[in-house]
Amino acid sequence: MPLVITSLVTSTAFQDASPSGTSGVTVTKRLVSNTALSLLASVDVGLLKTSAFGDTLDYFAGASDSVILGRLRLRSTQLVAVPGSEGLVFDAVARFDGLYVWCDVPTLGGGLYLPVETELDATPRSVLAFRSGANSPSADLSTTADILGTPIDYGGKPVQTNIPQQTMKVSLIIDSTRFTLTSVFDRIASHSGKWNSIDFLHFLANTVFCESASISHIRDEYYRVTYLFRSDYWFGCDQVPKIDVWGKAEIDANGAAKTVTWKSVAYGSINHNLIFTEQPSVAVATQWAKEGSFLTYP
């Protein structure tokens, strides 16, 4: 069995990066063997690689969120035979990196966190309206009484108009070595199709709806889960007139729909703040999603 002797590290380079970049360490070692080895032999390659840096995806400095190198993993190893050494001397270059970012969070100090991204869009929703200035709707509302307001329909025919609506995407990175995809799937199933039971980011309780969620693979252990939330001026309700035996809107003496109600499906609610549970810090991730940067942490 050949013996591989690992010499001292010949060079080390560290790269720190912002949340949009990738932090990492590049390490070069010189390996010396007492038996000639070949980079075309799988056994020899495995011996050299393991002797130099261990197995792919091994941690560089152990698993920790409190040290700057704590979540870097071995991503690649390059072996180069030194010319003229007759298979006895090799240079090994390894790259350790990860998607964690070292952040000096105000009041909390330094730590490793996963970046959070938020997108906002204010595109109105097209609706059919019978009344203007009607009683305000709410989540999961279906009324039987007239919603009042000023009639704007024409003989029971509604007018098409736009109402304010805002959509928000919250994108999180999941480290599947810490939280399994099964737990993320369960999280999505719990939150999809639900209103917020308590205040969530910029929104008061029962004012924003989780419309959908998706998971995509980034690389290795990292996955991205994206939630789509929607805030609607009518809370997802529609104005529906009471109809007559002919299936048309009942008309009052002024030629307008006689009785108009709010109608929607009852979806229920949940604490949407729980979507940050699979992050290194719930508090930092929540603030990051709300304000756009960990620098704004209280």
Side-chain angles (χ1 to χ4, degrees):
M1 181 71 179
L3 174 64
V4 174
I5 302 173
T6 303
S7 71
L8 295 176
V9 174
T10 58
S11 69
T12 303
F14 171 69
Q15 175 184 329
D16 194 12
S18 69
S20 60
T22 301
S23 298
V25 173
T26 301
V27 182
T28 301
K29 291 183 178 180
R30 174 149 290 187
L31 310 177
V32 179
S33 173
N34 60 356
T35 302
L37 301 175
S38 171
L39 295 183
L40 299 180
S42 297
V43 174
D44 293 351
V45 169
L47 180 61
L48 288 165
K49 185 174 73 71
T50 303
S51 299
F53 303 108
D55 295 325
T56 301
L57 297 183
D58 279 353
Y59 281 113
F60 176 74
S64 173
D65 291 331
S66 60
V67 294
I68 198 167
L69 303 178
R71 292 287 174 181
L72 302 182
R73 290 180 180 269
L74 178 60
R75 305 296 171 180
S76 64
T77 302
Q78 180 183 29
L79 299 172
V80 179
V82 175
S85 67
E86 298 182 348
L88 297 176
V89 183
F90 298 84
D91 285 329
V93 182
R95 172 68 179 177
F96 296 83
D97 65 38
L99 298 185
Y100 286 84
V101 179
W102 181 261
C103 304
D104 286 318
V105 179
T107 76
L108 293 183
L112 288 174
Y113 304 98
L114 289 169
V116 179
E117 297 179 4
T118 303
E119 298 178 28
L120 298 173
D121 179 77
T123 300
R125 173 165 73 102
S126 178
V127 297
L128 297 176
F130 291 85
R131 301 286 175 82
S132 173
N135 292 337
S136 297
S138 60
D140 292 350
L141 178 67
S142 286
T143 66
T144 55
D146 188 77
I147 63 176
L148 304 179
T150 302
I152 57 174
D153 60 301
Y154 297 96
K157 296 182 179 180
V159 297
Q160 187 170 9
T161 186
N162 292 326
I163 60 171
Q165 188 181 71
Q166 186 179 62
T167 58
M168 177 180 66
K169 287 184 179 180
V170 178
S171 183
L172 309 171
I173 296 175
I174 303 297
D175 182 346
S176 62
T177 65
R178 304 177 70 175
F179 300 96
T180 67
L181 287 187
T182 299
S183 66
V184 181
F185 293 154
D186 292 341
R187 179 77 58 202
I188 288 175
S190 299
H191 289 263
S192 295
K194 294 288 193 300
W195 293 91
N196 58 321
S197 59
I198 66 174
D199 293 356
F200 172 66
L201 300 181
H202 306 280
F203 303 97
L204 298 177
N206 296 305
T207 61
V208 68
F209 185 78
C210 182
E211 192 165 85
S212 64
S214 62
I215 297 177
S216 59
H217 186 223
I218 301 175
R219 64 182 176 99
D220 299 335
E221 71 271 29
Y222 297 112
Y223 288 79
R224 183 178 300 280
V225 55
T226 301
Y227 294 89
L228 176 63
F229 298 95
R230 190 176 301 277
S231 176
D232 185 275
Y233 185 68
W234 280 6
F235 294 85
C237 295
D238 288 307
Q239 293 185 358
V240 179
K242 184 178 179 180
I243 60 175
D244 58 22
V245 294
W246 307 106
K248 297 181 179 180
E250 289 187 349
I251 304 301
D252 63 15
N254 297 316
K258 183 177 181 180
T259 303
V260 179
T261 61
W262 290 116
K263 295 297 181 183
S264 69
V265 176
Y267 291 101
S269 62
I270 193 173
N271 180 6
H272 285 327
N273 296 289
L274 295 176
I275 68 170
F276 300 110
T277 301
E278 288 78 26
Q279 295 298 291
S281 167
V282 172
V284 173
T286 302
Q287 184 71 5
W288 204 327
K290 183 177 182 179
E291 302 294 347
S293 172
F294 66 88
L295 296 175
T296 58
Y297 191 90

